[in-house]
Amino acid sequence: MPLPPSSAQRTRMHVRNIQLDGYKRDDARWDIEARLIDTKDHDYPLSSGLRQRGEAVHDMWVRVTIDHQMNVLDAVACTDAMPYMGYCDRITPDYAQLVGLNLFHGFRTAVKNLFRGTRGCSHLSELLMFLPTAALQTFASDVLDNDDSAHKPYQLDRCHALESHSDAVRRYYPRWYRGQKPG
């Protein structure tokens, strides 16, 4: 169901597109790629020059290569469009610091600590926040979500709908249902 119509006339000023793609590689690793593109619906004057309507103000990429435990084995970032050519893109090599992090254990906190303030690009760092769930969805393509293994499915107890005490868990994951929530 889409959003209800706005109650006021509007003029769109900005578009941000974020795309995430997950790839299974032939070497038993996975690539998660993320891209952010900002455009304006009007000519946009910047100190560094005019961006024509529809021309990217930002076009930024990041790719991490991960193993089955979600450990980051390789990381690369690039900036194809930016407001300050030759300046904004200087930070992209620093994103190699992602190597060694784990997407499911402290990743977002580590990103905030590594790249806060002037130690990173706010747009690339924001884009990184999507990687853990994109990786989960990529892996989900390869694993049955109701596999009756000895391990609790990852998605349980990570959102309100799949809390161990919920009706959804009782219906779709009865083995992991924990009965009525205390209190």
Side-chain angles (χ1 to χ4, degrees), residues 46-177:
L46 290 165
S47 298
S48 59
L50 181 71
R51 296 298 187 278
Q52 298 292 325
R53 175 181 183 225
E55 180 183 357
V57 177
H58 297 106
D59 188 353
M60 302 172 164
W61 298 77
V62 64
R63 179 178 58 232
V64 295
T65 301
I66 57 175
D67 62 17
H68 282 88
Q69 288 77 41
M70 300 287 176
N71 297 307
V72 178
L73 306 174
D74 190 29
V76 62
C78 68
T79 302
D80 294 331
M82 67 214 82
Y84 308 103
M85 187 70 72
Y87 299 99
C88 294
D89 49 341
R90 289 180 186 174
I91 200 73
T92 56
D94 291 10
Y95 284 84
Q97 294 176 75
L98 295 168
V99 173
L101 299 180
N102 183 287
L103 291 183
F104 285 0
H105 300 289
F107 181 77
R108 290 182 175 105
T109 300
V111 166
K112 290 174 186 175
N113 289 332
L114 285 168
F115 304 112
R116 71 174 173 259
T118 59
R119 295 195 295 183
C121 165
S122 59
H123 301 86
L124 284 172
S125 296
E126 179 181 350
L127 194 54
L128 293 173
M129 296 299 143
F130 293 102
L131 295 183
T133 53
L136 175 64
Q137 290 300 318
T138 300
F139 274 47
S141 301
D142 224 29
V143 177
L144 294 175
D145 81 330
N146 59 358
D147 183 19
D148 198 23
S149 71
H151 302 289
K152 181 169 102 172
Y154 176 80
Q155 64 271 28
L156 299 186
D157 290 318
R158 297 196 184 270
C159 82
H160 74 97
L162 294 176
E163 181 182 18
S164 293
H165 302 284
S166 72
D167 289 337
V169 171
R170 182 175 59 189
R171 179 176 180 182
Y172 297 109
Y173 305 95
R175 175 180 178 185
W176 302 102
Y177 179 64

